[in-house]
Amino acid sequence: MVECLSYRKSELQMEKVEVSKVVKEVQTPFYLYSRSQIIDNFFKFSQAVSSLDNLICYSIKANGNLSVIKAIAELGGGADVVSLGEYKRAMKAGVDSSKIVFSGVGKQDFEISETLKHGLLQFNVESISELEMVNKISSNLGKIAPIAFRVNPDIDAGTHEGISTGKADNKFGIPLNDALKIYQYANSLNNIKIVGIDVHIGSQISDLRSFEKTFSHLSKLLERLKKEKIVIKHIDVGGGLGIKYSETDSVPDIMEYGRIIERALGDLGCKIIFEPGRYIVGNAGLLVTKVIY
């Protein structure tokens, strides 16, 4: 049972409100969310990384409900988006554009153009082709695009193959070994401003050792970039922390996760960007239905 739910006299309650009473006010089916659970989850994550200069960008693909996004925006959170639609939802919910990261392998020209016009923290660029498109659109608009490259560290996160994104045979990011020369190429483009580096190895990860390996590779690359005088201000470490779906599930220690990042990246003088999704909202809602026949 998640913290926001309880039974009292055989009545299911969320935040001490009987779900059956909500049903009388709202026609089923509907989703019922616990604001207090979302806030508690956000604060737990925030506390774990409080020793770092950090920005928590909620991954909207986990749940795009406007009220959910608004609750996170009110806590000072940013947003990780993968489409123009998600970008607009974030803005409508009150997320500051300077706290929005645009990720994803399928960014289209009109999406890049629209977000450049209204502003964002950075594009997490996945390929040279995307980089060149961003540069071309920026040039046409008279803009400078802030970018980070998503690097693929070839790390097996030990999660389901359908949600693994950090191995060499996954479609995401540029190979770690090619990263230096691609950063050098990006640095030569007139309408590109390199601001960061990004890595995301998968979802529902329970073994923190995969994060340790990833951050070790990342810190070595950052040293090489520094020698080339390529300035990195943001390190986006993605999301992916697993949550408990059953009593037998093993979940990572959030405080140890924060300590791992502090040891690996804490002394580099960069802002660390986090993209939690299910960790913030996965245990904070119900789908409420009723039997008709």
Side-chain angles (χ1 to χ4, degrees):
M1 182 67 68
V2 296
E3 295 170 27
C4 60
L5 297 175
S6 61
Y7 276 99
R8 186 171 182 272
K9 295 182 180 179
S10 300
E11 282 281 354
L12 179 62
Q13 298 185 338
M14 175 176 279
E15 296 187 16
K16 298 182 181 180
V17 176
E18 293 179 3
V19 174
S20 60
K21 288 185 178 179
V22 182
V23 170
K24 292 176 183 177
E25 300 287 333
V26 182
Q27 292 293 330
T28 60
F30 61 87
Y31 289 101
L32 182 63
Y33 299 110
S34 167
R35 179 184 175 85
S36 65
Q37 186 72 59
I38 291 169
I39 292 171
D40 186 54
N41 292 341
F42 187 94
F43 275 128
K44 282 179 181 176
F45 196 102
S46 181
Q47 183 182 16
V49 301
S50 61
S51 63
L52 301 159
D53 179 11
N54 73 84
L55 174 62
I56 300 173
C57 291
Y58 167 63
S59 186
I60 287 181
K61 61 180 173 286
N63 188 322
N65 181 285
L66 285 171
S67 294
V68 169
I69 304 168
K70 183 179 179 182
I72 293 164
E74 289 171 351
L75 296 171
D80 163 46
V81 307
V82 295
S83 69
L84 181 58
E86 288 188 356
Y87 176 87
K88 288 183 175 181
R89 292 182 82 82
M91 295 282 280
K92 187 173 182 179
V95 178
D96 191 310
S97 63
S98 68
K99 294 182 179 180
I100 297 179
V101 172
F102 199 147
S103 304
V105 296
K107 305 178 192 73
Q108 298 187 69
D109 52 2
F110 69 91
E111 295 179 303
I112 294 167
S113 176
E114 193 72 14
T115 49
L116 272 171
K117 290 175 185 176
H118 293 92
L120 76 166
L121 180 62
Q122 67 189 39
F123 290 104
N124 286 342
V125 174
E126 302 259 357
S127 65
I128 293 176
S129 299
E130 183 186 326
L131 170 70
E132 291 173 341
M133 181 166 68
V134 171
N135 185 61
K136 181 180 179 181
I137 293 170
S138 300
S139 177
N140 291 340
L141 293 174
K143 300 279 189 179
I144 303 295
I147 69 110
F149 281 109
R150 179 175 179 172
V151 297
N152 186 317
D154 193 19
I155 296 290
D156 186 351
T159 187
H160 188 279
E161 62 180 21
I163 49 176
S164 174
T165 62
K167 294 189 290 184
D169 57 352
N170 296 142
K171 65 184 178 182
F172 301 96
I174 61 175
L176 190 68
N177 292 335
D178 297 338
L180 181 60
K181 65 181 181 182
I182 293 174
Y183 266 99
Q184 289 170 328
Y185 172 53
N187 208 29
S188 71
L189 300 176
N190 292 331
N191 293 83
I192 293 293
K193 180 181 180 181
I194 296 169
V195 296
I197 192 166
D198 169 47
V199 65
H200 179 61
I201 58 174
S203 299
Q204 192 57 16
I205 299 168
S206 59
D207 187 354
L208 292 177
R209 288 174 296 181
S210 58
F211 288 114
E212 285 189 286
K213 293 175 186 175
T214 299
F215 301 147
S216 174
H217 288 323
L218 207 57
S219 62
K220 291 173 184 175
L221 173 58
L222 287 163
E223 285 299 319
R224 294 167 66 196
L225 291 171
K226 187 177 180 180
K227 289 178 182 177
E228 295 295 322
K229 295 183 169 50
I230 294 174
V231 178
I232 300 297
K233 295 181 178 179
H234 308 152
I235 303 173
D236 187 334
V237 298
L241 283 175
I243 65 172
K244 188 180 283 290
Y245 284 92
S246 71
E247 292 304 316
T248 59
D249 284 345
S250 173
V251 295
D253 182 332
I254 183 67
M255 297 304 291
E256 178 58 21
Y257 171 73
R259 287 190 288 268
I260 286 171
I261 296 175
E262 184 180 9
R263 289 195 297 267
L265 308 173
D267 61 351
L268 297 176
C270 297
K271 181 181 288 291
I272 311 297
I273 300 170
F274 298 89
E275 298 174 356
R278 80 176 76 203
Y279 185 88
I280 303 296
V281 296
N283 67 344
L286 294 173
L287 171 59
V288 182
T289 66
K290 64 183 177 182
V291 177
I292 299 175
Y293 301 110

